[in-house]
Amino acid sequence: MTFQQKFKIAILGSAIDESPKALELAESLGIKLAKYWDKVILLNGACPGMPDQVVNAAKKECNIEIWGYSSSISKKQQLEENPKVSLGKFNKIFYVPTSFEYYKNVN
């Protein structure tokens, strides 16, 4: 049996409110990426905005794997700073380690 490593695709971008057309395009991208659920892992910043719209649309289509790279140092801080982002969609979530020299400068 051969193991096929999945491609990791980072969905990065704005955390501001966007136009209805931009939101429609984000949803369309998520739906298209979902077709490759068995070949890709989606990555984003685990915060609200356009990247979250993309991964939400993909997750709605199928059980695609999603990893979040948070700017927070803990789940508690993540939930306080981004209460609108559901952590349930993430298969993995990574937080800034407190051993990182500039961890207090995040956000």
Side-chain angles (χ1 to χ4, degrees):
M1 179 156 98
T2 310
F3 174 73
Q4 180 72 32
Q5 187 169 354
K6 292 183 178 184
F7 293 98
K8 293 169 185 73
I9 300 175
I11 310 296
L12 306 171
S14 175
I16 63 171
D17 290 330
E18 293 287 352
S19 70
K21 179 64 176 170
L23 294 173
E24 180 183 317
L25 290 170
E27 185 170 339
S28 176
L29 176 58
I31 291 168
K32 285 180 176 48
L33 288 169
K35 293 177 182 177
Y36 302 97
W37 67 270
D38 60 335
K39 295 177 178 55
V40 302
I41 298 170
L42 302 182
L43 317 174
N44 81 1
C47 62
M50 295 299 286
D52 200 46
Q53 295 291 328
V54 174
V55 298
N56 284 341
K59 193 68 157 186
K60 193 183 328 179
E61 291 295 308
C62 64
N63 194 25
I64 194 165
E65 191 167 354
I66 301 172
W67 296 0
Y69 286 81
S70 175
S71 61
S72 301
I73 61 170
S74 67
K75 181 177 181 179
K76 180 179 185 272
Q77 184 184 28
Q78 170 73 24
L79 292 170
E80 289 170 358
E81 293 176 354
N82 298 294
K84 294 182 180 178
V85 176
S86 168
L87 299 184
K89 69 179 145 237
F90 297 106
N91 298 86
K92 293 183 182 181
I93 188 160
F94 301 89
Y95 299 102
V96 176
T98 56
S99 61
F100 178 60
E101 182 178 2
Y102 302 105
Y103 82 93
K104 290 184 180 180
N105 293 343
V106 294
N107 296 328

